Amino acid sequence: MGLFTRRSQNLNVQNGAAVATLEVDPVLAALTGDYVIDPAHSSIGFTVRHAMVTNVRGAFAEHEGSLHLDGADPARSTASIDVKIASVDTGIADRDGHLRSGDFFDAEAFPLMTFRSTEARQLGGDAYRITGELTIKDVTRPLSIDLEFNGSATDPYGNERVGFEGSTEILRSDWGLTWNAALEAGGVMVSDKVKLTFDISAIKQA
């Protein structure tokens, strides 16, 4: 059952006719509020094809963000995320240093990658799509992320949590990340297509 869609139906009488009205489920309405992303239990990762034959996976270890969930009207929900570029981690120090350099992210000049939502809507069931603006370096372009709502819970410390996971694909060249190297057998060292993945745990604020 979707986060914002479980509703009961009542009949009201208007001008002598019975009219069905939808009432928001109070359990879901209770989730409405402001949330802070818990970086210790969340991850923002990426996958990119290397040398045309295998995938390299990495993540950004440092990020912060906030969500506003509206249990009555999902279109009013919002998301904001800031990612520290220097925290990129693929497990290989030399490769991470290259990604931080001017060939790729230029982390010294552009320390943050940011996402600011502009629209949210339900696709069906627990599936949602959030659209916004992704900024990498000095380029801002629209981006849509498909998400699945994983549920809500109160943890042992009394924190009310919600969880989402999702993914999207981008062409890195759209954000000015164009460095590459040709291979002798044809093709290039790094694919243009990059898959972004999100596993988010967020804590409701008082």
Side-chain angles (χ1 to χ4, degrees), residues 41-109:
H41 296 95
S42 302
S43 65
I44 297 175
F46 60 89
T47 304
V48 61
R49 183 75 73 179
H50 177 262
M52 310 294 291
V53 297
T54 191
N55 290 320
V56 169
R57 292 175 173 84
F60 295 94
E62 297 182 37
H63 51 82
E64 60 183 23
S66 60
L67 311 174
H68 174 76
L69 303 183
D70 192 316
D73 183 0
R76 297 175 62 184
S77 299
T78 61
S80 174
I81 301 175
D82 293 339
V83 177
K84 188 174 181 181
I85 292 296
S87 71
V88 66
D89 182 6
T90 65
I92 303 296
D94 287 347
R95 181 166 59 207
D96 295 342
H98 193 197
L99 289 172
R100 297 184 189 105
S101 75
D103 283 345
F104 286 95
F105 289 110
D106 196 358
E108 185 172 346

Side-chain angles (χ1 to χ4, degrees), residues 115 131-134 140-144 175:
F115 177 80
T131 299
E133 295 185 335
L134 176 68
T140 300
R141 294 179 59 88
L143 179 71
S144 292
W175 279 267

Side-chain angles (χ1 to χ4, degrees), residues 2-15:
L3 170 60
F4 301 117
T5 57
R6 189 170 62 205
R7 303 184 180 193
S8 59
Q9 189 177 74
N10 293 330
L11 292 178
N12 293 330
V13 177
Q14 296 181 7
N15 298 324

Side-chain angles (χ1 to χ4, degrees), residues 104-105 113-114 132-144 169-178 192 196:
F104 286 95
F105 289 110
M113 173 172 60
T114 65
E133 295 185 335
L134 176 68
T135 299
I136 303 176
K137 299 176 76 170
D138 56 352
V139 178
T140 300
R141 294 179 59 88
L143 179 71
S144 292
E169 289 185 348
I170 66 170
L171 298 178
R172 60 188 179 89
S173 59
D174 287 344
W175 279 267
L177 303 177
T178 58
D192 192 20
L196 303 177

